[in-house]
Amino acid sequence: MGVSENQGKYFHFDNVFWNAPLKCGFLDLYQIGELCCECGFQVEEHEQSVHEITYVISGSGYSYIDGEKVRLEEGDVLVNSLGHRHAIRADESDLLRYTYIGFLFNEQAQAGEYDSLKAYYGDAPYSLVKDRNDILLPFMRCMDEFYSQMAYNRAMVSNYCQQIVILATRDSVEKREQPLPRSPYQNNVSSAVYAVLRYVEENLYSLRSIRELAEDLGYNYTYLSHFFREKTGVTLQNYIRYKKVERALQLMKYGELSVTQIAAQFHYESLQSFSKAFRRVMGFTPTKYMELERAKEEQEWKGVPQEQRRGREKGARAD
C-alpha cells in the first residue's frame, strides 16, 4: 500500500484473493485482515461484492449500511450481505480496531444442509449482535496461519474460515435453550450439570456473578451453588474463575489485547482484581505470563529471516 492508503490507519494487515479465491470447504475466501483506524478515520462507502463479517476487537465507531447508521462497540459482530452499500468510521475520540473476512458460498454449499446458512446471509442487508461464540479466536488463529506459513496451513485456514461463518450465524439465530431441570435430583443430573457448564461457556464475557447465572436459569443462588459443588467437586465460583483465565490465556496468545483490555472484556472491576484472579489460577501474574510467551516466541523465531516474520508482535501487550 502507498502512503495515501495508509493515512488514517495505525496498521492494516490485508490478505486479498480477488482473482483466485481460496477454496475453504463450502465457501470461497476473497479477503481477510485486520485494521486499526485512527480517531475519525472512515473506510469509504463501497458496494459489497462479497458477504463480510466484521468483529470489533476494541474501540468504537459506526457502520453505514445503505445509508443507515449503526453503532459499533467492542465485541460486536457485524454481518454485511452481498450487494449492499457499506462504510465504516471510527469515533472522533476513539480508535477502532477490527478484523474481517469476505467470502461467497461455492458449489459445495449447494447441498441442502447449507440452505439455512445461505438464507441467513442473504436475508437482510446486515446483522449486528454481541459475540457469544468466541469468534475472535478463529479470526486470530487464521491470521496466524497466513503469517507463520507452517505445515498444513491451508487446511487450518479452511477450517477457521468455516468456523467464523458458522459461529457468526449462531450468534444471530441461535436462541439459548434452558435445559436445566427444575429439580436436578428428579431428572438427569448429568444434563443439569452440562446445562450450567454450557451457560458459562456461552456467557463467559458477560457473566458477572453466580447470582446472575442462577436467575437466568431459574434457580435459587444458594441451591445452585451447593448442587454444582456436590456434583462436580468444584465450587461454581472457582469454575467460572478458571474458565475466564483459560479464555484470557487464549486472548493473550492470539488476540493482541492488552491486559487492561482483557480485564475489561470479562467485566473485572479493575486490572488488579483480574491479576489477582489470574494469579490464583496460574500461580503468576498476567505480566509474567506475557514475558514467558515473548521469550518462547523469540526462541521459535531464532534463525528465521526477518522478512518471514509476522509484521506485528504476537500475544497481548501490557498497557
Side-chain angles (χ1 to χ4, degrees):
M1 291 184 297
V3 174
S4 60
E5 291 178 313
N6 279 322
Q7 187 175 2
K9 305 173 184 178
Y10 275 109
F11 60 77
H12 190 190
F13 305 105
D14 195 28
N15 303 275
V16 296
F17 315 98
W18 296 113
N19 296 326
L22 300 184
K23 295 292 183 181
C24 299
F26 59 81
L27 62 89
D28 291 341
L29 179 67
Y30 286 83
Q31 187 176 26
I32 184 170
E34 182 181 343
L35 173 61
C36 183
C37 305
E38 295 179 1
C39 301
F41 176 77
Q42 178 168 319
V43 175
E44 294 303 322
E45 185 181 57
H46 56 280
E47 183 173 328
Q48 289 294 130
S49 57
V50 293
H51 299 302
E52 185 177 77
I53 301 171
T54 299
Y55 183 98
V56 181
I57 300 175
S58 61
S60 58
Y62 296 91
S63 180
Y64 301 85
I65 304 99
D66 293 343
E68 180 180 350
K69 186 177 181 180
V70 179
R71 177 70 174 171
L72 296 178
E73 296 180 339
E74 185 175 303
D76 280 345
V77 180
L78 174 68
V79 173
N80 290 111
S81 296
L82 170 71
H84 296 273
R85 304 292 296 178
H86 172 57
I88 193 166
R89 181 181 180 86
D91 265 342
E92 294 296 335
S93 58
D94 199 2
L95 302 178
L96 178 63
R97 180 182 173 196
Y98 61 90
T99 184
Y100 54 87
I101 180 176
F103 70 95
L104 291 175
F105 294 104
N106 59 32
E107 64 281 354
Q108 187 175 321
Q110 298 307 313
E113 64 179 304
Y114 297 106
D115 287 348
S116 61
L117 192 65
K118 291 189 296 181
Y120 166 70
Y121 283 93
D123 188 48
Y126 76 94
S127 171
L128 179 66
V129 295
K130 283 294 183 184
D131 181 24
R132 295 175 59 231
N133 286 296
D134 300 332
I135 300 178
L136 180 59
L137 294 179
F139 258 121
M140 291 295 101
R141 287 173 175 169
C142 193
M143 294 288 286
D144 282 345
E145 291 295 333
F146 278 110
Y147 287 98
S148 65
Q149 293 296 306
M150 297 178 68
Y152 309 110
N153 72 302
R154 283 293 298 273
M156 297 298 289
V157 166
S158 176
N159 180 276
Y160 289 136
C161 287
Q162 291 178 84
Q163 283 186 46
I164 292 166
V165 172
I166 291 173
L167 291 175
T169 309
R170 286 182 174 180
D171 269 338
S172 294
V173 303
E174 277 195 346
K175 294 183 179 180
R176 180 175 59 80
E177 300 174 358
Q178 296 189 11
L180 186 66
R182 298 299 299 177
S183 176
Y185 297 101
Q186 296 174 0
N187 293 283
N188 189 318
V189 173
S190 295
S191 296
V193 172
Y194 174 74
V196 176
L197 300 182
R198 181 182 176 188
Y199 181 94
V200 173
E201 287 284 348
E202 292 183 348
N203 298 276
L204 198 55
Y205 291 112
S206 60
L207 184 56
R208 297 174 184 268
S209 67
I210 300 175
R211 193 175 301 278
E212 173 187 308
L213 183 158
E215 289 177 355
D216 279 357
L217 292 178
Y219 262 75
N220 174 272
Y221 160 77
T222 304
Y223 172 76
L224 183 63
S225 298
H226 286 314
F227 162 69
F228 188 85
R229 182 171 186 175
E230 179 180 344
K231 298 305 174 183
T232 66
V234 180
T235 67
L236 188 49
Q237 181 177 359
N238 282 341
Y239 177 75
I240 294 172
R241 180 188 298 119
Y242 172 81
K243 295 301 294 184
K244 286 192 174 186
V245 170
E246 179 183 63
R247 192 72 52 79
L249 289 172
Q250 294 175 318
L251 292 176
M252 287 178 181
K253 186 173 183 180
Y254 296 105
E256 290 194 330
L257 301 179
S258 70
V259 176
T260 300
Q261 289 173 320
I262 292 173
Q265 285 254 352
F266 292 106
H267 295 288
Y268 280 93
E269 294 180 356
S270 66
L271 177 59
Q272 290 71 27
S273 60
F274 169 65
S275 296
K276 182 179 179 180
F278 190 96
R279 185 164 188 166
R280 290 187 67 174
V281 174
M282 298 297 298
F284 45 79
T285 65
T287 301
K288 181 62 176 178
Y289 171 78
M290 289 192 298
E291 291 174 356
L292 294 172
E293 280 296 304
R294 280 194 290 266
K296 178 181 177 182
E297 183 185 6
E298 285 300 317
Q299 185 64 30
E300 291 175 350
W301 282 111
K302 190 174 182 180
V304 177
Q306 185 65 34
E307 60 270 17
Q308 294 184 19
R309 297 193 178 199
R310 187 174 177 175
R312 54 186 176 136
E313 182 184 1
K314 186 179 181 183
R317 301 186 298 272
D319 280 348

